């Protein structure tokens, strides 16, 4: 039987926990803009090599010499910014390098965040990522190897920042507001993708592609000041929280075990099928999402054949739908739970099904409507929008099955997701390098198949009850 959380209402939208969600929204916005910056900048960084720059290489430096070193910049005459001879395979490695770093940090940072506090770890990760973003143009000029190393280190920093969030929500989010609060915070990622893709092309054309990194790296540094000033790990220690809100949060979490622990039941976790259902869902979800986030500007530029500015603008539209669906999905999920219309596990499986099935159908349809620009854009808008409904499904399911270990398990979950991102980014670069049209068709068909596997596995083994190994043990002294 699932325990029914208290339905007593605390302070509403004008409360500190919603302020926390807004700041975390801004933090996620910042992290994603820094991660996706390269996806829009690479059009100017590489396409110039293939078109403008090569036609302007002088006889003093033959084209063959210019292409001899893939990491060597060739000067583009009309903008004065460096462009590079990176093959699609090289771009795939560069794109996936940040995922390698995130994987390296997710599990240890999740465990340490539970012990030492998420505020410091998340803030340090955000600051480090922002500083490395500022140095990205310099690293690109010094060589592709250094750029890959920098992006990997940036991934470590971002992994620290992503994982610590669930440690905070485990202490700040009442059970009936989990979907709502986490969706507000999580929508910052979609909004960040929208902004960077919308204005990135314009920045690249007007100021040059390096300023994409300078601007969003600087915004990240400003976000760090806000984070360290306002955020606290526990509502009981926040100096500005009202007594009413503090009592509401603490009482609503009274049934949730929150005492510190020093051991992690690894063996029990490995044998837990509901956890594997969550991990499989993350793997499937991140597979297609990584392709969309990373390759969407390239796909629109190559298939629809538009300029970098228009490519960025069109690429940003899907993430308006993604941000909207994330927030609306969280509101609807909590509404269904608060009115006792559906059981918790039913809500989790419903939103997981919508978030994996609908984008798969859109992805399969894309190759057949490539001749229609309008239909293509509509499907590209629907993929991230419907995919983000998973945020109210298995994405937050660790808070249901093991709240004591939520941050640690979120680290593992995102690790599975990032492994999917590495494989999908590299595979996409390889497939489209063989043949553009058939390559994209294979990319989308494979993504749909991965999504369907994850959906079937989650529907079969997913649960929403706190697992026995995750419950607090009360020792009786004789």
């Amino acid at each position: 039987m699932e325990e029914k959380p208290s339905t007593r209402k605390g302070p509403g939208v004008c409360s500190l926990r919603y302020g926390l969600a807004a700041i975390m929204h801004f933090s996620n916005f910042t992290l994603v803009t820094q991660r996706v910056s390269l996806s829009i900048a690479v059009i100017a960084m590489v396409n110039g090599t293939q078109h403008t720059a090569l036609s302007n290489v002088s006889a003093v430096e033959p084209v063959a010499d210019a292409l001899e070193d893939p990491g060597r910049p060739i000067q583009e005459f009309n903008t004065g910014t460096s462009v590079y001879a990176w093959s699609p395979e090289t771009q795939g490695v560069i794109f996936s390098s940040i995922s390698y770093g995130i994987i390296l940090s997710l599990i240890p940072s999740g465990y340490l965040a539970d012990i030492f506090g998420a505020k410091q770890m998340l803030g340090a990760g955000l600051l480090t990522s922002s500083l490395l973003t500022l140095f990205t143009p310099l690293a690109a000029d010094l060589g592709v190897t250094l750029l890959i190393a920098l992006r990997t280190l940036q991934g470590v920093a971002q992994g620290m920042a992503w994982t610590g969030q669930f440690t905070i929500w485990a202490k700040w989010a009442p059970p009936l507001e989990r979907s709502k609060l986490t969706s507000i915070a999580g929508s910052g990622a979609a909004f960040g993708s929208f902004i960077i893709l919308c204005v990135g092309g314009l920045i690249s054309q007007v100021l040059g592609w390096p300023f994409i990194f300078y601007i969003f790296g600087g915004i990240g540094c400003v976000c760090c000041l806000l984070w360290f000033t306002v955020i606290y790990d526990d509502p009981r220690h926040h100096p500005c929280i009202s007594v009413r809100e503090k009592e509401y949060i603490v009482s609503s979490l009274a049934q949730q075990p929150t005492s510190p622990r020093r051991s992690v039941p690894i063996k029990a976790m490995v044998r837990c099928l509901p956890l594997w259902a969550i991990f499989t869902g993350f793997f499937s979800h991140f597979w297609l999402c990584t392709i969309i986030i990373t390759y969407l500007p390239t796909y629109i530029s190559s298939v629809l054949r538009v300029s970098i500015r228009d490519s960025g603008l069109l690429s940003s539209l899907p993430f308006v739908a993604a941000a909207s669906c994330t927030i609306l999905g969280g509101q609807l999920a909590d509404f269904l739970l608060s009115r006792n219309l559906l059981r918790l596990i039913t809500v989790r499986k419903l939103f997981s099904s919508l978030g994996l099935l609908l984008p798969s159908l859109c992805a399969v349809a894309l190759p057949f409507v490539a001749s229609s620009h309008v239909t293509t854009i509509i499907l590209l808008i629907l993929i991230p929008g419907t995919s983000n409904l998973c945020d109210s499904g298995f994405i937050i399911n660790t808070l249901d099955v093991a709240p004591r270990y939520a941050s640690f398990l979120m680290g593992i979950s995102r690790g599975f997701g990032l492994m999917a991102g590495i494989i999908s980014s590299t595979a996409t670069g390889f497939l489209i390098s063989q043949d553009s049209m058939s390559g994209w068709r294979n990319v989308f068909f494979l993504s749909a198949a991965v999504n369907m596997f994850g959906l079937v596995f989650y529907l079969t083994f997913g649960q929403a009850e706190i697992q026995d190994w995750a419950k607090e043990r009360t020792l009786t002294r004789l």
Side-chain angles (χ1 to χ4, degrees), residues 180-254:
K180 192 181 303 180
L181 290 170
T182 56
S183 64
I184 292 174
S187 64
F191 184 61
S193 299
F194 162 71
I195 292 297
I196 183 62
L197 293 172
C198 185
V199 305
L202 182 61
I203 293 173
S204 180
Q205 280 197 334
V206 176
L207 301 176
W209 62 262
F211 279 87
I212 299 176
F213 300 98
Y214 298 149
I215 291 173
F216 289 99
I219 291 175
C221 293
V222 174
C223 182
C224 287
L225 295 177
L226 187 62
W227 178 267
F228 284 114
T229 303
V230 179
I231 299 299
Y232 281 73
D233 288 315
D234 195 309
R236 291 172 293 186
H237 302 149
H238 203 292
C240 300
I241 191 171
S242 68
V243 174
R244 181 187 174 200
E245 182 177 10
K246 183 192 301 184
E247 290 179 349
Y248 169 64
I249 295 174
V250 172
S251 62
S252 65
L253 294 174

Side-chain angles (χ1 to χ4, degrees), residues 9 18 43 67 111 118 209 215 221 247 260 265 269 322-323 373 386 392:
K9 297 292 184 181
Y18 281 90
I43 298 176
L67 297 179
Y111 181 71
W209 62 262
I215 291 173
C221 293
E247 290 179 349
M269 290 179 177
H373 289 189
T386 55
S392 297

Side-chain angles (χ1 to χ4, degrees), residues 54-378:
L54 292 183
S55 64
N56 287 308
V57 174
S58 66
V60 178
E61 182 176 332
V63 173
D65 293 339
L67 297 179
E68 202 170 74
D69 179 5
R72 180 182 179 184
I74 309 171
Q75 203 68 18
E76 189 178 63
F77 281 28
N78 63 338
T79 64
T81 56
S82 297
V83 293
Y84 310 92
W86 296 338
S87 67
E89 293 92 335
T90 300
Q91 294 175 51
V93 173
I94 295 173
F95 286 142
S96 62
S97 60
I98 195 170
S99 299
Y100 288 110
I102 296 177
I103 286 179
L104 290 175
S105 67
L106 282 177
I107 295 178
S109 63
Y111 181 71
L112 294 175
D114 283 342
I115 297 176
F116 299 110
K119 173 184 176 178
Q120 301 300 328
M121 184 165 293
L122 198 155
L126 179 58
L127 179 60
T128 303
S129 177
S130 300
L131 294 176
L132 291 174
T133 300
L134 294 172
F135 285 102
T136 298
L138 177 61
D141 271 343
L142 295 177
V144 68
T145 302
L146 182 59
L147 177 61
I148 291 173
L150 181 144
R151 293 277 291 179
T152 302
L153 184 58
Q154 186 176 24
V156 173
Q158 292 215 354
M160 294 168 55
W162 285 116
T163 307
Q165 296 184 27
F166 268 60
T167 299
I168 294 177
W169 286 127
K171 297 179 179 179
W172 276 90
L176 291 180
E177 296 182 13
R178 279 176 182 164
S179 298
K180 192 181 303 180
L181 290 170
T182 56
S183 64
I184 292 174
S187 64
F191 184 61
S193 299
F194 162 71
I195 292 297
I196 183 62
L197 293 172
C198 185
V199 305
L202 182 61
I203 293 173
S204 180
Q205 280 197 334
V206 176
L207 301 176
W209 62 262
F211 279 87
I212 299 176
F213 300 98
Y214 298 149
I215 291 173
F216 289 99
I219 291 175
C221 293
V222 174
C223 182
C224 287
L225 295 177
L226 187 62
W227 178 267
F228 284 114
T229 303
V230 179
I231 299 299
Y232 281 73
D233 288 315
D234 195 309
R236 291 172 293 186
H237 302 149
H238 203 292
C240 300
I241 191 171
S242 68
V243 174
R244 181 187 174 200
E245 182 177 10
K246 183 192 301 184
E247 290 179 349
Y248 169 64
I249 295 174
V250 172
S251 62
S252 65
L253 294 174
Q255 298 178 5
Q256 303 291 328
T258 57
S259 62
R261 81 280 186 276
R262 291 292 178 265
S263 63
V264 178
I266 298 295
K267 290 183 180 179
M269 290 179 177
V270 171
R271 294 192 297 263
C272 183
L273 283 177
L275 277 187
W276 283 105
I278 296 173
F279 300 156
T280 306
F282 266 83
F283 187 92
S284 304
H285 175 69
F286 271 69
W287 182 286
L288 181 56
C289 285
T290 302
I291 293 174
I292 294 298
I293 291 175
T294 305
Y295 282 97
L296 185 57
T298 302
Y299 180 78
I300 290 178
S301 178
S302 61
V303 175
L304 303 187
R305 302 191 181 280
V306 297
S307 67
I308 181 174
R309 182 186 62 188
D310 294 337
S311 175
L313 181 60
L314 292 174
S315 299
S316 69
L317 295 179
F319 297 98
V320 178
S324 302
C325 287
T326 300
I327 296 175
L328 293 176
Q331 298 281 342
L332 178 58
D334 281 342
F335 172 80
L336 294 174
L337 290 172
S338 63
R339 298 298 178 90
N340 294 323
L341 298 176
L342 294 175
R343 297 168 59 239
L344 180 58
I345 185 57
T346 306
V347 170
R348 296 290 180 248
K349 290 187 176 182
L350 171 63
F351 282 87
S352 297
S353 299
L354 294 174
L356 290 175
L357 178 60
L358 296 180
S360 299
L361 296 176
C362 294
V364 169
L366 267 175
F368 301 102
V369 298
S371 59
S372 172
H373 289 189
V374 174
T375 307
T376 298
I377 293 299
I378 291 175

